[in-house]
Amino acid sequence: MSQHSTARRAAALVGASALLVALAGCSTPPATGGADEAVPGISDDTVTIGTHTPLTGPAAAGYASISAAATAYFEYLNDNGGVHGRSIEYLVKDDGYNPATTQTVVRELVQEDEVFAIVNGLGTPTHTAVLDYLTQNEVPDLFVASGSTNWNQPEKYPYTFGFNADYVVEGAALAQYAADEYPDKVVCLLGQDDDFGDEMIEGAELALGADGLAAVERYSVSNQDVSAQIGAMKAAGCEINILGTINGFTALAIGTAAQLGWFPTWFSSSSGANYETLVGYLGEEVGPKLLQGLIGTNYLPASGGDSEWVSLFREINDEYNDGAVFDGNTVYGMSVAYLFAEALEAAGENPTRASLIEAVQSGDLGGNGILPLSFAEDSHAAYLGVGITAVDQGVQDYLGATYAVEGGSVAAVDPAPVALSGEGIPGS
């Protein structure tokens, strides 16, 4: 099981401090570009960045729309002057959610396209496959689209930063909400057979204790049949099922249970709780019925809410994204694109890879979440807390409960949403 432990956080403190000392001791760190050396991906009028994401394959239906939404935001930003007069060019490469393909396309982005940074590479198994490569080449690896705690290891991966609330946080928040609101219910968990599942279990046990889960089942994305796992959970008398699943397997689990005539309460990580995507898998006829009451987590403006961020993103979606379906993925993609633009603005008029890293870990970025960002010299995690959401009559919005995980414990906290400023254009 992945160790999201005090030891890791202590090591992060030591390692990040060492990194800062090294940066301070060099006017130009290796591979960042000296005064007379071109910075990869930076020209007088453009900043070129890239990502890997599943435009095809088993995860495409759940996640392909994220990069399209990010691209739409960048087009909006470019039409409004860009960042320090530079337009952002976002190169999106399909990896099919296949780690081997991820290695190929990321090498293309770094060696052939010479991107300034990799931004929002998607997936735990896929991004893990390129983590060492990006570190060795000192490429800023920003805002990974996965909740794995691997991205929060400043001492080992000084150029990598997460974006999602990590899976330990999500697992703990969902389990704590179950304990608070349904104290007598039998709680179980279905998780992916990698760090995603491991860390969801770790978080749930943080809230419920080592024996708090009545049953734990695992699945592999290579086998789209979870009948055995769902049957075992039904036999165990599970009443609340926490899901550490990507969208396709969330739908598969709920649909399989329905076929068995079993209708427990479902709690899902944000990675597998996008309502519109799930309806697409389950069908318009039965999907809304099966998803009524689905509990999830989120840390960004809710697509079903009425925040100023959502209003702006809807306008951008209509104008720059061909009026694509507006959902949680849209908000996610535009939110991460905004955060990159904010970091780039803070990196200065003539950014280097070093100044970009310094901007992210400065602690000065605001983002647009419901809680403050956690980036710092000793932390490469974005959000250490989440709000609880629910689906009600097709609308997915916050319930009001918010939890944070720090120091090995989970606690209820008050949300503190970041207000929209400057029409969503950093520096304006």
Side-chain angles (χ1 to χ4, degrees):
M1 179 175 293
S2 171
Q3 296 299 310
H4 187 274
S5 60
T6 302
R8 169 178 283 185
R9 293 189 183 276
L13 281 166
V14 174
S17 298
L19 171 65
L20 288 177
V21 170
L23 288 174
C26 304
S27 59
T28 305
T32 59
D36 299 321
E37 181 183 350
V39 178
I42 300 292
S43 72
D44 290 341
D45 53 13
T46 61
V47 176
T48 303
I49 58 177
T51 195
H52 65 87
T53 196
L55 301 179
T56 58
Y63 303 127
S65 59
I66 291 173
S67 57
T71 299
Y73 170 82
F74 286 137
E75 290 179 0
Y76 163 77
L77 180 69
N78 293 342
D79 280 354
N80 285 276
V83 178
H84 295 304
R86 292 185 180 88
S87 296
I88 296 174
E89 182 180 6
Y90 194 37
L91 304 181
V92 179
K93 298 212 173 187
D94 180 19
D95 65 6
Y97 206 66
N98 182 321
T101 307
T102 306
Q103 292 180 331
T104 298
V105 300
V106 167
R107 279 171 168 76
E108 289 174 357
L109 288 166
V110 172
Q111 296 169 202
E112 298 176 19
D113 299 309
E114 297 184 323
V115 295
F116 181 50
I118 297 295
V119 178
N120 207 220
L122 191 146
T124 299
T126 47
H127 200 73
T128 298
V130 295
L131 198 52
D132 288 334
Y133 170 78
L134 292 173
T135 301
Q136 291 161 7
N137 286 274
E138 300 177 337
V139 179
D141 179 21
L142 305 186
F143 317 141
V144 183
S146 153
S148 172
T149 58
N150 283 339
W151 327 135
N152 184 23
Q153 299 186 75
E155 77 292 350
K156 186 175 182 181
Y157 301 119
Y159 303 95
T160 297
F161 297 78
F163 183 72
N164 300 24
D166 71 49
Y167 299 133
V168 175
V169 169
E170 290 197 306
L174 289 170
Q176 190 62 55
Y177 182 74
D180 290 347
E181 300 296 323
Y182 306 96
D184 299 323
K185 297 288 187 180
V186 178
V187 181
C188 302
L189 188 147
L190 172 66
Q192 197 160 291
D193 62 349
D194 56 18
D195 282 359
F196 184 4
D198 290 344
E199 294 179 356
M200 287 291 291
I201 295 167
E202 184 178 345
E205 291 181 345
L206 184 65
L208 302 177
D211 299 322
L213 293 170
V216 173
E217 293 291 328
R218 309 299 290 271
Y219 75 91
S220 169
V221 294
S222 64
N223 181 8
Q224 297 190 16
D225 182 354
V226 294
S227 300
Q229 293 91 327
I230 297 301
M233 295 171 82
K234 180 182 179 183
C238 302
E239 296 173 284
I240 293 175
N241 291 333
I242 297 173
L243 298 174
T245 52
I246 59 176
N247 286 294
F249 281 84
T250 299
L252 190 60
I254 294 173
T256 300
Q259 290 175 342
L260 296 174
W262 184 42
F263 302 94
T265 301
W266 299 97
F267 283 37
S268 176
S269 156
S270 62
S271 295
N274 186 58
Y275 175 77
E276 289 80 3
T277 301
L278 296 175
V279 169
Y281 276 114
L282 294 167
E284 293 287 346
E285 183 175 346
V286 301
K289 297 176 184 177
L290 294 179
L291 296 171
Q292 174 65 21
L294 173 70
I295 300 297
T297 60
N298 197 0
Y299 42 90
L300 300 172
S303 61
D306 58 359
S307 77
E308 291 182 321
W309 286 104
V310 169
S311 296
L312 173 64
F313 290 165
R314 284 187 182 277
E315 292 175 8
I316 295 173
N317 193 61
D318 289 342
E319 183 172 354
Y320 294 92
N321 201 18
D322 298 323
V325 171
F326 187 89
D327 59 14
N329 284 344
T330 314
V331 174
Y332 181 100
M334 293 191 186
S335 296
V336 78
Y338 168 79
L339 183 59
F340 174 75
E342 190 181 3
L344 184 63
E345 197 275 336
E349 293 186 5
N350 296 298
T352 64
R353 285 173 165 176
S355 71
L356 181 64
I357 295 297
E358 290 166 3
V360 177
Q361 64 185 23
S362 69
D364 296 332
L365 300 184
N368 68 336
I370 66 165
L371 291 169
L373 286 163
S374 300
F375 294 134
E377 297 170 5
D378 61 343
S379 172
H380 286 193
Y383 296 102
L384 295 178
V386 293
I388 302 298
T389 66
V391 173
D392 185 22
Q393 302 301 316
V395 177
Q396 195 165 31
D397 203 357
Y398 287 105
L399 288 173
T402 306
Y403 297 93
V405 176
E406 287 194 75
S409 62
V410 54
V413 296
D414 293 326
V418 177
L420 175 69
S421 63
E423 296 300 315
I425 300 171
S428 64

